[in-house]
Amino acid sequence: MSSIRGSRGAEMTMTTDQNTPAPALDIDALSVSFATDGGTLHALKDVSFSVPKGRITGIVGESGCGKSTLINAILGLLADNGEVTGGAIRLGESADITKLTPRQMRDLRGLQISTVFQDPMGALNPVLSVGKQMRDIQYRSNLSKREKDARSVEMLRQVRIPDPEKRLTQYPHEFSGGMKQRVAIAMALMMRPQLLIADEPTTALDATLEVATIELLKELQQEIGCAVLFISHHLGVIAELCDDMIVMYAGEVVEQGSVRQIFRNPSHPYTRALLDCDPARLHERVKHLPTIPGTLPDLRNRPKGCVFQARCALAKPECGQPVTSVEVTPGHIARCIRTNEVTA
Amino acid sequence: MSEQASIKPAALRARSFPGLAALRKILREPMGFFGLALVVLILASAIFADLLAMYDPTKIAPQNRFQGPSLTHLLGTDHLGRDLLSRVLYGARIALLVALGSTALSLMLGIVLGLMAGYGPRWLDAFLLLVFDAMKSFPTIMLALTIVTLAGPSMVSVVMVVVMVSVPGYARIIRTQTIAMKTAEHVTAARSMGAGTIRILRVHILPNIIGPIVILASMDVPVVIGIEAGLSFLGLGVRPPTPSWGTILNDGFANIRDSSWIVIAGGLPIILTTLGFTFLGETLRDVFDPRLKGR
Amino acid sequence: MSAPLLSVKDLRVVFSVGGTLSRLRGHVTAIEGVAGVSFDIAKGETFALVGESGSGKTTLARTLNGLQKVASGSIHFDGKDATSMGRAEMKELRRRAPMMFQDPVGSLSPRLDVRALLAEPFRIHGMSDRDLDAEVRRLLTLVGLPVDFASRYPHQLSGGQARRVGVARAVALDPQLIIADEPTAGLDVSVQGEVLNLLNDLRDRLGLSMLIITHNLHVVRQIADRTAVMYLGRFVEMGETEAIFRSPAHPYTAALLSANPEPDPDRVHDRIKLPPEVPSVMARPSGCEFHTRCPFAQDLCRRNAPPLRVNGGHQLTCHFPMNTPAQAGLEQAQ
């Protein structure tokens, strides 16, 4: 890897120094388990990362990697059989939010943290007009109805909904799929949250719309200055939108760093394999597409040592020992003992 | 059914496991345990009435009239000297026969008509809906009186009343579920493979929608027992001397001032059966459809 | 060249919308989901249909499978006209040209185990007398699933495993053509590769033809010999996949290709940006139907519908192509 990229990567590193301001979201050794019929399922194990203020952090991982559990844990919306068994989640300067009461948590959601989901209909109520819903979000403000509507119009204009005044009186079904997602984004950003969690917001959209939505998100983020936690399985989207990224596998963070560091110098075998699998990196037709052989480990009975060892081409007996994270370059951390060989 | 079951024991094993697990879950809930115990008790007394009853339930013994509960007659005797315990046991047969038989019949008819309405052409749907609504619009008592007047009081009349009252409800639920499932991707996939209508309904739709309706029907059983007892009480149901809880209640009602045990003997089994089936039905619902729990 | 396996000529599919009332009020009551599409699929060939949602690609596939009525035009499968088939012939067509649906888990009946799901095609087509257990084992092995998966239910399968079961079901009765609607939708990238490898492998081993419908252009490149790009129910460009990828001639094709975010943070995107709003098929634009979104549209495009340009195997409807089909051919030859 060239030195230029290395130094560029260094300036983009995640801020972990003590003298920098507190990050928008800080997750510290978070573990979450679920009680199931077959035993305790350890969905998240020792997850640590932070989302710096004013930056976009992407999370990549395939199904079963714990992305949804992580989001639900942050939002305090774990299922009844789920439990935070260790670690802390801090939002800005606040104390650990896993200790908050449901009532306090509810005040946090929507005001300081807001979310956009894959299916925009999850955020929109089909029987209320968009204007009414956008007014309802502002229930905490003392503005008059007219002022609230003016703000809604302004927000819709920002997400490039044509003719926003007229659109306020319409119902969600009168919007196309791409527009619904933009309305959902407008609603999520209405209260200028500190943190926006975007859970695969572009996955259900066509490629042309996906690109437009990414650009829009980036613009709005810069304008509002909030931090964004962006979850996607689409590496291209992460590369284009995010500043930093986190790679998750089987409930663990296996690699984190700036987008450049990771795409230029993937240092965990899983990240490497994931990048190889992306057909977008192939500009020719190939006889055999790369895949990752094997399946996820049983999360009820996690392997000792590295979680990826069973599927890893580089695995050796030492991988069965507990793994410590390695700092590849400043701010670029991989949970693998053979980082050097991955790069080679 | 037979096709799936006949494939291999492995499939059968896979199928019986959820059943056992469900039974365990039912027994874990106090309400479920109590309900199941009551239902088993009543079923057993109906099935083994021959063995359990010490007397002929219809044998008149004027010398034993109005005897209170004693060791020879645990629940006492009625105005004709018949042993009430024996009558209650045989009455359970009638009650369960009517309740289970007519519920099963209603369920079958409801399913067939509901599937036809939901999957068939639009005109058939419109027509069947009209029929269901017409049937539903009769008040139960009026309907019962009309049927009994036309067909005469008998067990068959009671079954007819129950069927007419409950079919429209079942059919409507099945219809709605069928319509919702009609465009499900697995149904389209089955169509695209060339499956015929009957096969689609039987293999790809019915198994997915039958659960809730069976649970609903199990909760309707006590209602039917009430209808049977009520009609028999009014003399519109099972004819004397056949023992029915309703007729026992009626006998007791006439003599309630000097021999209250007769009313108790007739009323207690109705209450217990109702409680048993209701508890069991509610637990079943909670076990199979936890979303509805606590509603 | 031998006769094509599937030959579609000027196919139109019409949906009626609204009731008698809106017809009386003079509103549009019929919309063309597929508006005059012609293409052939040769034996052993993989043909891809690409387009945004609402372009009519799924409707076209469903029509080929007999799930949607044909308004006009013809579909010939192995020489026989599918538009005039009786019930028995249609059933036979469905046996030989099975369709795979988008949702890998949702297209499997939830209450049937894998054994019953894989035995289903045999039962439907009256072949229950075969040794179904042996067939189930054969199919599971063919798609690379362990034989003990037979006793699993759809909800116990991952997306990739469910997709494999879907593939197994499609190849159960020795088909000639497989119609696959978004075969990799909702799958993880590592699993997506597995499924595409499986499809490619089966095509080679069983000599199948395939019609792949997808909006994922990377998938198209890895699997399709020829590709058609659909817009508002019509083909705007059709040709050899490599030629289309190397030098797209229609601005829409070029826009789709450039809209693919690539896993490279330093890539400078030179995108053709399209206004996101797709016109409705209920109010088709005049002239070239793409002109409302086309960054290169001129007056001519607004007035006149572009003619169909044919150059060898490459077809195009555009007044001002970005590369001529001839150039495309040339570049490919180099």
Side-chain angles (χ1 to χ4, degrees):
Chain A
M1 290 288 107
S2 80
S3 57
I4 306 161
R5 279 172 195 141
S7 65
R8 268 174 86 190
E11 97 196 20
M12 308 290 279
T13 51
M14 310 180 76
T15 44
T16 40
D17 303 17
Q18 300 94 322
N19 46 4
T20 46
L25 174 72
D26 183 51
I27 294 186
D28 185 18
L30 182 72
S31 295
V32 173
S33 338
F34 291 92
T36 67
D37 286 345
T40 309
L41 192 148
H42 305 279
L44 289 182
K45 198 188 144 209
D46 235 355
V47 169
S48 296
F49 67 91
S50 48
V51 180
K53 280 194 175 125
R55 286 170 74 94
I56 306 183
T57 301
I59 298 185
V60 201
E62 300 188 287
S63 26
C65 74
K67 291 177 289 191
S68 324
T69 306
L70 178 63
I71 299 171
N72 289 337
I74 298 172
L75 294 173
L77 294 175
L78 285 176
D80 289 344
N81 60 342
E83 192 196 353
V84 173
T85 51
I89 303 173
R90 280 180 282 270
L91 196 68
E93 313 287 340
S94 77
D96 182 6
I97 60 173
T98 60
K99 306 279 190 296
L100 293 183
T101 63
R103 158 102 225 171
Q104 291 169 312
M105 204 56 224
R106 205 162 63 223
D107 287 341
L108 218 57
R109 288 196 295 267
L111 206 62
Q112 296 187 51
I113 319 178
S114 58
T115 31
V116 181
F117 295 102
Q118 181 173 340
D119 179 9
M121 281 316 279
L124 299 171
N125 184 337
V127 298
L128 295 180
S129 74
V130 165
K132 166 92 173 104
Q133 297 187 50
M134 296 192 74
R135 218 180 296 135
D136 288 350
I137 301 178
Q138 309 173 56
Y139 70 99
R140 283 194 185 84
S141 91
N142 307 319
L143 299 174
S144 69
K145 185 174 167 238
R146 180 167 306 167
E147 286 165 320
K148 284 180 182 171
D149 278 348
R151 283 192 59 192
S152 306
V153 166
E154 183 46 40
M155 207 61 220
L156 285 182
R157 189 166 287 130
Q158 280 192 10
V159 296
R160 300 202 197 97
I161 300 282
D163 203 1
E165 287 87 357
K166 195 180 135 223
R167 285 297 193 167
L168 275 191
T169 60
Q170 295 187 331
Y171 290 83
H173 72 266
E174 296 174 79
F175 291 75
S176 69
M179 277 211 253
K180 267 183 230 156
Q181 191 58 287
R182 298 213 295 280
V183 171
I185 292 173
M187 286 169 62
L189 294 176
M190 192 93 204
M191 297 312 284
R192 308 211 153 221
Q194 290 175 21
L195 175 70
L196 173 71
I197 299 179
D199 184 6
E200 306 251 5
T202 60
T203 304
L205 303 177
D206 284 313
T208 47
L209 279 175
E210 178 168 55
V211 169
T213 310
I214 293 171
E215 281 169 3
L216 181 73
L217 256 179
K218 199 161 195 164
E219 240 170 66
L220 288 172
Q221 182 264 339
Q222 270 158 14
E223 206 176 299
I224 294 175
C226 62
V228 178
L229 185 60
F230 187 91
I231 291 98
S232 179
H233 68 277
H234 193 329
L235 292 166
V237 172
I238 297 275
E240 187 154 343
L241 176 71
C242 300
D243 304 309
D244 307 305
M245 71 187 275
I246 285 145
V247 183
M248 285 184 73
Y249 178 77
E252 289 185 17
V253 172
V254 294
E255 187 165 359
Q256 54 183 307
S258 77
V259 164
R260 262 185 198 79
Q261 286 171 332
I262 291 182
F263 277 98
R264 290 280 172 249
N265 182 17
S267 299
H268 191 283
Y270 175 66
T271 315
R272 171 90 259 175
L274 203 58
L275 288 174
D276 285 343
C277 281
D278 190 346
R281 287 168 66 101
L282 306 166
H283 292 282
E284 293 288 316
R285 183 162 176 176
V286 295
K287 195 90 199 112
H288 197 82
L289 288 161
T291 59
I292 306 176
T295 50
L296 275 178
D298 183 359
L299 297 182
R300 281 174 293 227
N301 192 6
R302 301 182 73 97
K304 283 201 191 73
C306 172
V307 266
F308 189 60
Q309 54 178 310
R311 303 172 76 179
C312 182
L314 299 174
K316 55 181 182 180
E318 293 92 294
C319 298
Q321 303 301 319
V323 198
T324 44
S325 297
V326 175
E327 188 154 30
V328 185
T329 47
H332 181 187
I333 299 162
R335 203 174 200 148
C336 177
I337 53 169
R338 310 188 72 191
T339 344
N340 302 331
E341 287 154 83
V342 179
T343 333
Chain B
M1 260 284 282
S2 62
E3 289 171 7
Q4 290 151 40
S6 74
I7 296 180
K8 274 283 123 51
L12 278 175
R13 268 205 308 277
R15 245 158 245 267
S16 59
F17 274 127
L20 266 182
L23 186 67
R24 222 172 289 136
K25 273 187 194 159
I26 292 170
L27 292 178
R28 218 168 349 180
E29 304 269 334
M31 207 168 82
F33 179 79
F34 186 51
L36 193 67
L38 277 177
V39 168
V40 168
L41 179 79
I42 288 153
L43 274 176
S45 54
I47 294 168
F48 302 112
D50 291 334
L51 302 172
L52 295 171
M54 291 181 292
Y55 304 89
D56 179 346
T58 55
K59 191 168 174 239
I60 297 169
Q63 70 278 19
N64 294 336
R65 295 169 71 223
F66 294 122
Q67 287 197 5
S70 65
L71 276 178
T72 34
H73 298 283
L74 287 174
L75 289 177
T77 60
D78 66 5
H79 63 293
L80 298 175
R82 295 175 293 196
D83 177 49
L84 278 172
L85 179 62
S86 306
R87 286 183 69 75
V88 165
L89 290 174
Y90 277 94
R93 270 193 182 177
I94 300 290
L96 289 182
L97 199 67
V98 170
L100 297 180
S102 56
T103 305
L105 190 64
S106 316
L107 202 57
M108 240 151 56
L109 278 171
I111 286 172
V112 170
L113 292 175
L115 286 174
M116 277 165 66
Y119 200 78
R122 227 187 244 184
W123 62 263
L124 184 64
D125 184 29
F127 171 74
L128 285 173
L129 276 186
L130 197 72
V131 174
F132 299 155
D133 289 347
M135 282 164 76
K136 258 233 128 110
S137 64
F138 286 112
T140 309
I141 293 293
M142 300 286 280
L143 187 74
L145 289 175
T146 317
I147 289 177
V148 171
T149 313
L150 291 174
S154 70
M155 210 166 87
V156 177
S157 302
V158 176
V159 172
M160 269 167 69
V161 172
V162 172
V163 167
M164 287 201 58
V165 170
S166 37
V167 163
Y170 296 152
R172 260 187 176 278
I173 292 172
I174 288 284
R175 168 189 171 266
T176 316
Q177 303 246 41
T178 308
I179 290 177
M181 189 131 288
K182 198 158 124 175
T183 49
E185 198 149 274
H186 74 268
V187 173
T188 317
R191 272 212 296 151
S192 95
M193 285 193 287
T197 307
I198 302 285
R199 186 158 189 96
I200 287 175
L201 290 175
R202 195 167 53 93
V203 179
H204 299 280
I205 292 185
L206 189 57
N208 299 302
I209 58 180
I210 200 162
I213 193 102
V214 168
I215 291 168
L216 196 75
S218 77
M219 294 177 75
D220 276 352
V221 167
V223 177
V224 176
I225 288 176
I227 293 180
E228 186 271 322
L231 287 175
S232 300
F233 179 84
L234 295 173
L236 303 173
V238 177
R239 299 297 294 155
T242 314
S244 153
W245 295 341
T247 47
I248 298 174
L249 212 52
N250 192 16
D251 294 342
F253 183 66
N255 307 294
I256 195 162
R257 281 177 193 283
D258 21 60
S259 40
S260 54
W261 61 85
I262 308 181
V263 180
I264 294 171
L268 206 60
I270 298 180
I271 294 170
L272 290 180
T273 317
T274 309
L275 276 179
F277 276 100
T278 310
F279 284 179
L280 184 63
E282 283 192 13
T283 316
L284 276 177
R285 186 196 59 195
D286 292 348
V287 167
F288 287 105
D289 200 350
R291 282 169 300 166
L292 297 174
K293 199 166 185 170
R295 292 213 181 155
Chain C
M1 211 178 138
S2 61
L5 180 66
L6 180 78
S7 175
V8 176
K9 290 246 149 36
D10 206 23
L11 185 72
R12 285 172 64 250
V13 179
V14 175
F15 297 102
S16 58
V17 288
T20 324
L21 197 64
S22 45
R23 202 171 307 142
L24 289 173
R25 286 155 85 196
H27 292 181
V28 182
T29 53
I31 54 168
E32 283 184 298
V34 177
V37 157
S38 305
F39 64 98
D40 290 343
I41 299 180
K43 286 197 175 87
E45 183 184 42
T46 302
F47 186 82
L49 280 178
V50 245
E52 292 169 290
S53 43
S55 61
K57 51 192 198 306
T58 296
T59 307
L60 176 53
R62 292 170 59 103
T63 311
L64 297 178
N65 195 254
L67 292 171
Q68 208 73 255
K69 254 173 62 185
V70 173
S72 72
S74 72
I75 302 169
H76 283 269
F77 183 76
D78 209 9
K80 284 201 208 88
D81 186 358
T83 51
S84 60
M85 278 184 178
R87 200 179 267 246
E89 277 181 305
M90 197 64 219
K91 200 169 165 180
E92 177 63 13
L93 171 83
R94 286 171 162 173
R95 182 177 81 74
R96 291 165 65 191
M99 180 161 173
M100 275 162 56
F101 291 81
Q102 261 196 45
D103 183 345
V105 179
S107 54
L108 305 176
S109 278
R111 295 299 171 107
L112 299 188
D113 60 9
V114 169
R115 190 188 315 269
L117 285 166
L118 292 181
E120 189 67 4
F122 297 97
R123 294 224 167 86
I124 288 173
H125 291 277
M127 293 181 232
S128 319
D129 52 328
R130 293 199 191 181
D131 181 352
L132 292 184
D133 275 316
E135 294 286 356
V136 168
R137 278 196 300 275
R138 172 181 73 89
L139 290 171
L140 284 173
T141 318
L142 190 67
V143 297
L145 285 176
V147 177
D148 60 8
F149 266 54
S151 54
R152 293 211 187 180
Y153 286 85
H155 68 268
Q156 298 166 319
L157 302 173
S158 72
Q161 291 161 349
R163 183 44 90 207
R164 280 171 191 269
V165 171
V167 173
R169 194 164 65 164
V171 296
L173 301 174
D174 311 317
Q176 289 165 291
L177 171 73
I178 290 185
I179 304 170
D181 190 358
E182 300 281 7
T184 61
L187 300 183
D188 287 325
V189 263
S190 62
V191 180
Q192 175 174 301
E194 281 176 31
V195 170
L196 292 178
N197 286 339
L198 174 68
L199 285 175
N200 272 334
D201 176 50
L202 287 177
R203 179 189 53 186
D204 294 345
R205 270 161 65 191
L206 309 176
L208 297 172
S209 301
M210 289 200 281
L211 174 66
I212 307 277
I213 295 138
T214 180
H215 69 272
N216 188 336
L217 288 159
H218 300 304
V219 167
V220 172
R221 190 165 206 171
Q222 291 305 325
I223 197 165
D225 302 314
R226 284 195 306 135
T227 299
V229 181
M230 254 183 126
Y231 189 70
L232 296 184
R234 298 185 214 273
F235 285 0
V236 294
E237 186 169 4
M238 175 166 79
E240 302 282 333
T241 306
E242 271 310 311
I244 286 184
F245 272 80
R246 274 174 212 277
S247 55
H250 198 285
Y252 181 60
T253 315
L256 283 186
L257 284 173
S258 75
N260 256 321
E262 299 213 18
D264 179 353
D266 290 319
R267 189 182 165 88
V268 182
H269 289 276
D270 186 14
R271 287 212 168 104
I272 302 175
K273 284 192 187 158
L274 297 184
E277 297 321 316
V278 184
S280 158
V281 279
M282 292 183 75
R284 289 177 173 273
S286 62
C288 172
E289 288 174 346
F290 185 57
H291 85 251
T292 55
R293 296 172 75 198
C294 184
F296 315 114
Q298 317 217 352
D299 272 348
L300 178 67
C301 306
R302 288 176 200 109
R303 281 197 316 273
N304 298 342
L308 176 71
R309 294 164 190 241
V310 183
N311 188 316
H314 204 114
Q315 283 185 18
L316 176 71
T317 45
C318 179
H319 286 297
F320 306 104
M322 306 180 62
N323 305 284
T324 62
Q327 273 179 339
L330 210 69
E331 280 193 29
Q332 197 202 4
Q334 279 169 357

